[in-house]
Amino acid sequence: MTTIANNLQQVLAAIARACAAAGRDPAGVRLLAVSKTFGADAVLQAVAAGQRDFGENYVQEGVDKIAAVRAALPGVVLQWHCIGPLQSNKTRPVAEHFDWVHTVDRLKIAERLSAQRPANLPSLQVCIQVNIDGGPTKSGVAPADALALARDVAKLPRLALRGLMAIPDHAPQFEAQLAVHTRARRLFDEIAALREPGLEAFDTLSLGMTADLEAAIRAGGTMVRVGTGIFGGRSYPAA
Ligand SMILES: *Cc1c(COP(=O)(O)O)cnc(C)c1O
């Protein structure tokens, strides 16, 4: 077994343990393998081990990797998720090549993604990024503004609003991680409970990375984004 296949198995086992501890069905937690800074060869190894969802932070790197993986595996259906901060001049390649965007934090970005989504592709699946712990320099809409943005995004024709995403500051302790993740869960529940038109598919809470996936699952996260735990340490910080 390759290292990546072995790591994947261990991450899936950690997810299963966290689900058991939380009294949840592991089928309710989707693993997003964050392949940023790693090459297409690493993605191919993960695909061979059964992984189908991949996350990328940098638009051009992601677009190139998607093309390389598609050429190597024609006919294999993968889901590519954009999880990096998005500038409005970079929305077009994202709308044309990705399946999901987790980092919608203002209406202008959402409008551009909807307008640029090619007609022959399914709707772009999007989550609204929430600045759940209120860091002044962090991306994400303020929690108090999340519902208004969700309502506006829900009206856009070529987007499917799927839920919320958050990247809390690193906290070493499980209890501290759980407290902030639980705030994201409450906000998610408040919006989901409205059952308004456009929110029918609001079922995704993208929460947790390698270091805090247990707390994210305990809080009710439905998608965990794991890079280091699957692919190993990243050797360069892409700008
Ligand atoms: C890089 C990244 C991850 C993965 O982080 P790890 O600690 O390597 O698991 C998850 N989410 C986002 C938004 C990231 O940028």
Side-chain angles (χ1 to χ4, degrees):
M1 204 188 290
T2 67
T3 306
I4 288 173
N6 186 54
N7 289 349
L8 251 177
Q9 233 174 43
Q10 295 194 20
V11 170
L12 290 169
I15 290 172
R17 277 195 305 277
C19 285
R24 298 183 56 195
D25 179 351
V29 178
R30 186 161 163 184
L31 173 60
L32 180 53
V34 178
S35 43
K36 66 180 176 211
T37 81
F38 291 91
D41 53 325
V43 172
L44 294 176
Q45 287 181 47
V47 174
Q51 178 64 25
R52 292 294 179 269
D53 287 277
F54 293 90
E56 290 288 333
N57 284 58
Y58 312 104
V59 175
Q60 195 55 50
E61 178 191 339
V63 167
D64 292 347
K65 211 175 296 178
I66 291 168
V69 171
R70 192 164 288 152
L73 296 174
V76 176
V77 178
L78 303 176
Q79 296 282 297
W80 289 92
H81 302 241
C82 174
I83 62 171
L86 203 46
Q87 268 132 36
S88 48
N89 62 351
K90 298 270 184 62
T91 53
R92 183 176 294 280
V94 172
E96 290 178 348
H97 297 284
F98 282 82
D99 303 288
W100 284 69
V101 177
H102 292 223
T103 44
V104 169
D105 63 354
R106 54 197 191 277
L107 186 58
K108 183 183 174 196
I109 294 281
E111 287 172 341
R112 291 178 64 91
L113 289 170
S114 180
Q116 293 166 343
R117 182 66 168 173
N120 62 318
L121 295 180
S123 297
L124 187 63
Q125 312 293 299
V126 302
C127 291
I128 288 174
Q129 183 177 354
V130 181
N131 184 356
I132 199 66
D133 46 9
T137 62
K138 286 173 71 170
S139 343
V141 65
D145 299 329
L147 174 58
L149 180 58
R151 283 178 164 145
D152 288 340
V153 169
K155 294 186 189 117
L156 295 170
R158 299 291 292 134
L159 304 186
L161 178 59
R162 295 301 301 271
L164 301 181
M165 179 267 212
I167 315 174
D169 284 342
H170 178 69
Q173 305 295 336
F174 178 87
E175 292 305 326
Q177 295 170 358
L178 183 60
V180 63
H181 284 151
T182 299
R183 294 217 296 275
R185 166 66 189 276
R186 293 215 179 97
L187 184 60
F188 172 80
D189 283 348
E190 278 170 32
I191 297 174
L194 296 172
R195 309 216 171 279
E196 291 180 358
L199 296 179
E200 294 86 355
F202 197 87
D203 61 0
T204 300
L205 182 56
S206 168
L207 208 59
M209 320 200 298
T210 300
D212 60 353
L213 74 87
E214 288 84 2
I217 288 171
R218 182 74 63 91
T222 68
M223 201 180 295
V224 290
R225 310 176 305 264
V226 177
T228 309
I230 296 171
F231 297 108
R234 288 180 286 273
S235 54
Y236 70 93

